[in-house]
Amino acid sequence: MSSNFPDAEKMDPRVRRTRAMLGQALTDVLEEKTFQAISVQDITEKAGLNRTTFYLHFPDKFALLDYNITQLFQQDLEKRMLSVCHYSPENLISLIVGVAEFVHYMTAHCESRLTDPQFEVTVEAAVKKQVQGLLEAWGQTAGFGADPRSIGIAASWAIYGLAQEWAHDKKRAEAELFARQIAPLIHSILGVDQPAVQPAG
């Protein structure tokens, strides 16, 4: 799965710990300010670190936000075992559910932050990038089409956009029902036949 950052497991433990401290500090400061209003100084003071340490790890606060969102969503995919599995109809359902629930979490817990355009753009870009990478990897073995990259981009945009609409719908259905409702559309983008998937429950 493509990422701007190395896998956390491959990092030096001290690097991982420092990045975790900076990420937690950003999360804490976001409870007090919008992302736009936050400075690197705010983050380092909250973390108890100096600015030099920050810049050893991230070029700016945007990179830290990207890292934070990427790590959170990657951990969610790993809990669902999606990063180590192959394409199947049920794994696609699980992926859609994962995206929907993550977007809903960000919406419900970070509503004030999502009024900040840069925060929303970063969340969207980080999630779509990982979904695209996963779909491209699946496509290598499942044969999604002649251009797995374009198919991955199109499907990731569709999944994220529909998940965003679902997350903002106050009368939304359960996440799994939503996933099964849009699965035929995603299958058509992937270029695979819509299989017979048993209803939830």
Side-chain angles (χ1 to χ4, degrees):
M1 200 177 312
S2 62
S3 172
N4 292 329
F5 308 101
D7 292 340
E9 295 80 4
K10 297 177 183 176
M11 287 184 197
D12 181 288
R14 291 167 297 180
V15 172
R16 188 164 62 242
R17 185 166 55 250
T18 301
R19 291 188 174 190
M21 290 172 64
L22 290 168
Q24 184 59 53
L26 174 61
T27 299
D28 292 343
V29 178
L30 278 167
E31 297 295 336
E32 306 161 7
K33 300 182 178 182
T34 65
F35 181 71
Q36 188 173 10
I38 291 172
S39 67
V40 169
Q41 186 70 32
D42 293 329
I43 298 167
T44 55
E45 285 181 359
K46 181 69 74 171
L49 300 169
N50 58 50
R51 288 167 60 90
T52 301
T53 300
F54 179 95
Y55 288 116
L56 284 173
H57 294 272
F58 301 101
D60 51 39
K61 67 176 184 177
F62 302 98
L64 173 58
L65 178 61
D66 184 27
Y67 176 79
N68 242 18
I69 300 301
T70 297
Q71 290 298 307
L72 283 172
F73 187 58
Q74 187 170 310
Q75 288 165 13
D76 187 71
L77 292 180
E78 288 170 355
K79 281 192 296 185
R80 298 170 189 276
M81 301 297 289
L82 290 172
S83 58
V84 294
C85 67
H86 297 291
Y87 163 78
S88 74
E90 288 300 329
N91 284 338
L92 179 62
I93 295 293
S94 184
L95 174 60
I96 297 170
V97 169
V99 173
E101 290 182 345
F102 188 81
V103 173
H104 177 246
Y105 171 83
M106 297 305 294
T107 302
H109 292 80
C110 314
E111 193 165 359
S112 62
R113 305 175 205 168
L114 288 174
T115 60
D116 185 324
Q118 187 59 54
F119 188 89
E120 186 171 12
V121 165
T122 302
V123 171
E124 180 174 347
V127 172
K128 288 195 300 193
K129 183 173 184 179
Q130 289 190 81
V131 173
Q132 177 192 338
L134 180 59
L135 291 172
E136 284 185 39
W138 284 359
Q140 297 297 324
T141 54
F144 287 165
D147 187 357
R149 182 174 180 276
S150 294
I151 290 171
I153 291 171
S156 65
W157 280 61
I159 291 171
Y160 188 90
L162 291 166
Q164 194 173 45
E165 288 294 316
W166 173 84
H168 285 89
D169 184 355
K170 296 189 183 302
K171 297 181 179 179
R172 60 184 167 274
E174 291 295 323
E176 185 167 344
L177 177 58
F178 158 75
R180 292 180 185 279
Q181 287 172 338
I182 73 164
L185 172 61
I186 306 305
H187 278 109
S188 69
I189 295 171
L190 298 177
V192 294
D193 293 333
Q194 166 62 25
V197 178
Q198 294 300 316

